[in-house]
Amino acid sequence: MRLLVTIVLFITSAHGATRPQEWKAINYAPRGHPYFRMLYDWFSKDAATGREVRAMADADLAILRRSGFNAVHLYLWDQPTFDDLYRKQTSRIPETSGFAYPDPALSAGRQWEALDEFIGMAEKHGIWVIPHFVHTPFNANLDSLSGAQTEQRADEIAAWAGRFISPLSKLHKNILAWGALYALEPALDDRPENPNNYSLLWRKLYVALKRKIEAESAGDEAPLFTFLYLPSKGRNISAGDVQVPAGALEGYELDALIGKRLFASMKRHLSYELGRAAEPDLVYTYLFGPDTTSLELSIRALTTGRDAVPAGRVFLAEYGISSPFGAYDRATRAFGENGSPTTDLEGQAVWLRQCLCALRATGITKSAYWTLYDAASLWSSPTWSMPEQQVSLNGHWGLGFEDAARGFKPAWETIRAFQGGQPFACPEARAAIAGARDQPVRFAPRGAQLAKR
């Protein structure tokens, strides 16, 4: 009965355009149908359970709402992105689950229909949706284009994205925000009157999408967020042959100064384009790394002091840590973005608690955990054929096991307590400790040696 009341209240407030200031979000796809496969598989039956994928999503959305989540972050990959990855041999077999470009209504697998149904399903459960456009070939030969050609490319991408914005804005009242193009950002220091092609493409596309949202929103305008890159200040240890000495993994702060310069560049370019003072509605970035104390310092440096990016305008579109040890029978130690390590189930819960405490301490209220379920079978499939080290890293960010019989990991209860407003202790952050190559990175009190196991 309480859930029914919650849903009714949500629908009433959504029609009144009351968007939450706190985004308790997650990057969502059903178990066994991860990422870009969800909508492609939407009308099919899951091989493990015999249930329709859309029925699985319906049940998951109900669980998310009961667990305190109020939004899902949804990347909308296009087919040229996957074609580009195949040309670069990132995938071994062509991935065919992208949205059609330039007309997404022509997408394979009835994905257009599936997207509409998914957003409506989320609305029924009182869940907001955050669609985020992905078209990575935006930078193909970009440096060699003329200004006119760059503007034409911006128009083409905007037309593709606009085909989502127009109908979905009219049909659904639970679009929380739109994500401008994945990974596109302006140059740091060029001048607006003589822009780098990346800056020209960025500002033309941002303004075009913003105007499209305004035109289709009838006074109920969803904000538009754009990419804010925060490079790592730590040593790159992601290559499999890099020697990582035993001990604490420290120094993995993110370069907040670069982030501030980038935000200043965005303001310059938008102000020039619009002929008035302007800045992005929101910016998105990622939060990965072994040491949550360093991550907290990075956020604080970004959101305070001179040229600060206001904490209320920052959306962490992805944050998390991979936990193959205890979830995967071929788990190996691996390191990813900003030294983010593979850990065990306990380590994931510890890291997540520390990270959530850091977000609270720095005033970050908009975030989306990466992700709900593990996805090892995708990355080990013939299409992607990743080596075991990469399957360990990329396949185990989830809060739930890939095997439905095992349910959820301990970290799930951690985030449920935080999102649900339960008492949430924030003890002193532990250090990430690298041991032997065949062991997970574990977490121990600072200054202490990791006990031998």
Side-chain angles (χ1 to χ4, degrees):
M1 183 64 182
R2 287 183 61 192
L3 180 60
L4 177 61
V5 171
T6 300
I7 292 171
V8 171
L9 287 174
F10 170 83
I11 292 172
T12 301
S13 64
H15 282 284
T18 305
R19 289 185 170 82
Q21 293 302 304
E22 186 174 8
W23 298 4
K24 302 177 180 181
I26 193 163
N27 288 272
Y28 173 72
R31 181 182 268 117
H33 305 271
Y35 317 131
F36 35 83
R37 293 281 178 83
M38 176 179 75
L39 298 175
Y40 187 79
D41 295 345
W42 188 255
F43 298 104
S44 66
K45 287 190 176 181
D46 176 63
T49 64
R51 302 171 66 196
E52 281 193 314
V53 173
R54 56 181 172 175
M56 297 169 67
D58 193 31
D60 282 342
L61 290 169
I63 291 171
L64 289 173
R65 192 71 184 100
R66 289 197 302 269
S67 301
F69 291 87
N70 65 1
V72 289
H73 178 226
L74 183 66
Y75 286 115
L76 302 174
W77 285 269
D78 72 351
Q79 191 55 44
T81 292
F82 293 123
D83 295 343
D84 188 46
L85 290 172
Y86 177 63
R87 282 193 297 271
K88 295 175 179 176
Q89 299 185 329
T90 303
S91 68
R92 302 298 183 261
I93 299 173
E95 175 67 59
T96 58
S97 58
F99 278 96
Y101 185 97
D103 186 356
L106 302 179
S107 301
R110 298 168 63 195
Q111 290 184 82
W112 186 247
E113 183 181 344
L115 175 61
D116 175 53
E117 186 170 303
F118 174 74
I119 297 175
M121 186 180 288
E123 193 167 9
K124 177 189 73 173
H125 287 290
I127 297 283
W128 296 85
V129 179
I130 310 168
H132 192 164
F133 301 114
V134 183
H135 172 76
T136 58
F138 71 81
N139 61 1
N141 303 312
L142 185 57
D143 288 326
S144 64
L145 298 185
S146 67
Q149 290 171 322
T150 301
E151 292 190 30
Q152 181 181 359
R153 180 169 293 182
D155 290 342
E156 292 169 352
I157 298 171
W160 173 73
R163 289 187 170 97
F164 291 90
I165 294 169
S166 293
L168 296 178
S169 295
K170 294 184 177 76
L171 290 169
H172 302 288
K173 300 300 182 183
N174 61 324
I175 303 296
L176 182 53
W178 293 96
L181 205 61
Y182 172 84
L184 174 61
E185 58 187 353
L188 282 175
D189 298 316
D190 62 336
R191 300 306 306 170
E193 58 274 14
N194 186 28
N196 173 289
N197 276 357
Y198 282 85
S199 297
L200 182 61
L201 180 66
W202 177 84
R203 79 190 195 202
K204 290 291 183 181
L205 182 58
Y206 189 91
V207 169
L209 294 181
K210 184 70 179 168
R211 286 172 173 164
K212 186 66 173 178
I213 294 168
E214 291 172 349
E216 302 294 348
S217 299
D220 180 23
E221 182 186 336
L224 179 66
F225 57 84
T226 189
F227 184 44
L228 188 80
Y229 178 54
L230 296 176
S232 173
K233 295 171 74 172
R235 176 185 172 218
N236 184 358
I237 54 176
S238 61
D241 58 350
V242 171
Q243 296 297 313
V244 179
L249 295 168
E250 297 176 327
Y252 285 92
E253 291 184 38
L254 299 168
D255 198 328
L257 179 58
I258 294 293
K260 287 180 171 181
R261 288 171 59 196
L262 183 55
F263 191 61
S265 176
M266 292 175 181
K267 292 192 286 186
R268 285 195 307 272
H269 281 281
L270 284 182
S271 298
Y272 181 88
E273 187 70 21
L274 296 172
R276 57 176 174 80
E279 57 188 66
D281 296 336
L282 300 167
V283 294
Y284 83 92
T285 193
Y286 309 119
L287 201 65
F288 296 106
D291 183 5
T292 56
T293 298
S294 292
L295 296 180
E296 180 175 341
L297 290 172
S298 303
I299 299 170
R300 204 176 296 281
L302 177 70
T303 58
T304 61
R306 184 177 178 182
D307 298 325
V309 181
R313 292 197 172 193
V314 176
F315 170 41
L316 294 180
E318 299 175 19
Y319 70 99
I321 192 168
S322 180
S323 56
F325 291 90
Y328 186 51
D329 58 6
R330 296 187 295 278
T332 61
R333 192 181 74 175
F335 299 92
E337 183 176 345
N338 192 36
S340 184
T342 52
T343 186
D344 56 17
L345 303 180
E346 178 187 0
Q348 183 187 36
V350 170
W351 184 95
L352 180 57
R353 178 176 293 276
Q354 294 178 177
C355 185
L356 292 171
C357 289
L359 301 189
R360 175 188 286 174
T362 53
I364 299 296
T365 59
K366 298 175 177 64
S367 62
Y369 185 81
W370 182 265
T371 59
L372 185 57
Y373 295 118
D374 283 351
S377 60
L378 172 71
W379 302 123
S380 60
S381 71
T383 301
W384 296 93
S385 298
M386 288 186 174
E388 288 299 343
Q389 193 172 47
Q390 289 304 306
V391 173
S392 285
L393 177 67
N394 294 312
H396 298 92
W397 301 95
L399 299 170
F401 294 102
E402 194 162 29
D403 180 1
R406 297 189 66 187
F408 288 93
K409 302 177 185 178
W412 169 248
E413 294 302 324
T414 302
I415 202 167
R416 283 186 69 203
F418 185 84
Q419 305 291 41
Q422 299 176 28
F424 197 82
C426 289
E428 182 180 359
R430 296 185 167 208
I433 308 294
R437 290 178 63 91
D438 61 348
Q439 292 181 342
V441 167
R442 296 189 172 102
F443 294 84
R446 294 185 181 279
Q449 294 295 319
L450 184 65
K452 293 183 179 180
R453 304 196 179 187

